[in-house]
Amino acid sequence: MTLHQLRIFECVVKHRNITKASAALHISQPSVSQQLRLLEEEFATKFLIRLNQGVELTPEGEEFFNGIRPLLAEAENLEKRFKTSPKANDTAPLIVGGSRNVSSVNILPRLLMALKERHPSLQFILETDHSLAIEKRLLASEFEIALITNPSHRAEIVYEPYEEMELVAFCLPTNPLARKKPTLKELVECPLVLRGGGRLEKVLMNLGYRMNVALRCQASTSVKTAVRMGMGVGILYRNAVASRVGRGNLSLIDVPELKQLGIQSFVIFDKRKPLAPMAQEFLQILHEKNDSQLAANDKRVQVGRMPSLSFH
């Protein structure tokens, strides 16, 4: 339960209509519905009944609403009293948008936890959608900052290149492919375990490859589990499998052609208005992490480079 959710609930009760509440809050209707659903799931209680004309409170919803009204009033008083406090921004949740690729491979959750280490009391909400929807919701002020992979390059949005997400193939360490260097054609002829609805299948089909898909999963975790059960060869972004490979549970397969099919991620924010302090700090963390990654990559290149030789 967050203050953000309670305020959404209060607004819906006030208007008795989700559409009107979303307009008043400047938040999309799906986002309002999602926060209401999360609130009801947390308490395992139905608070609202959807009607054709709007919504009405259940008896439990009426009791819940009466219980949170003093909390919301007190929160409003505290915000008015300490509005200029440097810590005031910690009380408001930071809402960050992310396309499905970056939200499912632990990129955004890891970065948000880095911010929470600096601000333990910070609450954050990660809103996941496809890139185009994330852009539209950003411009609708549902959140101030997001990370996406398929930009449409709208004039109102700043697009900062963040990280190149590399696709990797992986299998059980006992699989003979772990010690080979197959071509992309040889790889896709193996039983594959993929995330359903991803871009990879479309890209490979456009390149003329015929794939042997053994299983499509909804989440990266399910892909890794299926591969560990011996159901086939998995393909995911490197970030999603790094920990498993590090522990020796999975082995990467060297497929040079696959590296060319990766994707660039972008940090985006609305250029028409300044970022709030907490969003600015999150952007700083994004810059720091990206700079560290680039430095590490440069170091690996330097280590792998042969020293120059002089002959006299």
Side-chain angles (χ1 to χ4, degrees), residues 131-301:
S131 294
L132 183 59
I134 289 293
E135 289 180 340
K136 290 179 178 178
R137 295 172 65 182
L138 177 85
L139 294 176
S141 300
E142 290 187 34
F143 32 76
E144 294 190 76
I145 192 166
L147 195 63
I148 64 170
T149 52
N150 294 294
S152 63
H153 299 290
R154 300 181 63 142
E156 312 97 311
I157 296 177
V158 175
Y159 297 88
E160 291 188 358
Y162 178 64
E163 180 182 32
E164 289 190 17
M165 298 170 61
E166 180 187 352
L167 280 167
V168 294
F170 56 97
C171 60
L172 287 171
T174 54
N175 191 317
L177 276 177
R179 295 174 291 280
K180 295 182 179 180
K181 193 173 183 177
T183 64
L184 186 56
K185 182 178 183 299
E186 291 170 334
L187 176 72
V188 299
E189 289 174 351
C190 299
L192 298 177
V193 182
L194 307 174
R195 277 189 65 227
R199 62 180 284 272
L200 178 62
E201 284 194 67
K202 295 178 182 177
V203 171
L204 291 173
M205 288 176 64
N206 289 337
L207 291 173
Y209 289 101
R210 296 182 64 182
M211 292 168 289
N212 177 16
V213 181
L215 181 66
R216 292 179 178 85
C217 304
Q218 291 297 314
S220 300
T221 303
S222 303
V223 174
K224 290 179 284 187
T225 300
V227 172
R228 291 186 65 200
M229 292 173 63
M231 297 186 68
V233 173
I235 302 178
L236 288 172
Y237 291 106
R238 180 181 289 274
N239 311 65
V241 296
S243 60
R244 287 289 184 185
V245 171
R247 290 198 293 267
N249 301 133
L250 297 170
S251 293
L252 295 182
I253 304 170
D254 188 4
V255 188
E257 296 163 273
L258 194 59
K259 297 176 183 178
Q260 308 303 317
L261 303 181
I263 193 169
Q264 176 75 52
S265 61
F266 294 84
V267 182
I268 64 171
F269 49 91
D270 193 334
K271 67 168 59 173
R272 301 170 301 178
K273 59 183 181 181
L275 289 171
M278 195 57 66
Q280 289 179 7
E281 188 166 349
F282 183 60
L283 180 61
Q284 180 185 354
I285 286 176
L286 287 165
H287 289 161
E288 291 171 356
K289 296 293 183 182
N290 199 26
D291 290 344
S292 298
Q293 185 63 43
L294 290 174
N297 291 341
D298 289 343
K299 186 175 181 180
R300 282 196 293 270
V301 170

Side-chain angles (χ1 to χ4, degrees), residues 64-113:
F64 182 78
F65 179 61
N66 290 333
I68 67 171
R69 288 176 71 181
L71 296 176
L72 291 170
E74 185 62 23
E76 185 176 355
N77 290 335
L78 288 170
E79 286 178 353
K80 289 178 180 178
R81 182 179 175 187
F82 300 101
K83 193 172 183 180
T84 58
S85 169
K87 293 293 183 180
N89 290 305
D90 286 6
T91 62
L94 174 66
I95 308 174
V96 177
S99 61
R100 294 188 177 98
N101 288 335
V102 297
S103 298
S104 63
V105 298
N106 207 32
I107 295 175
L108 271 175
R110 186 182 71 245
L111 292 167
L112 287 168
M113 287 309 298

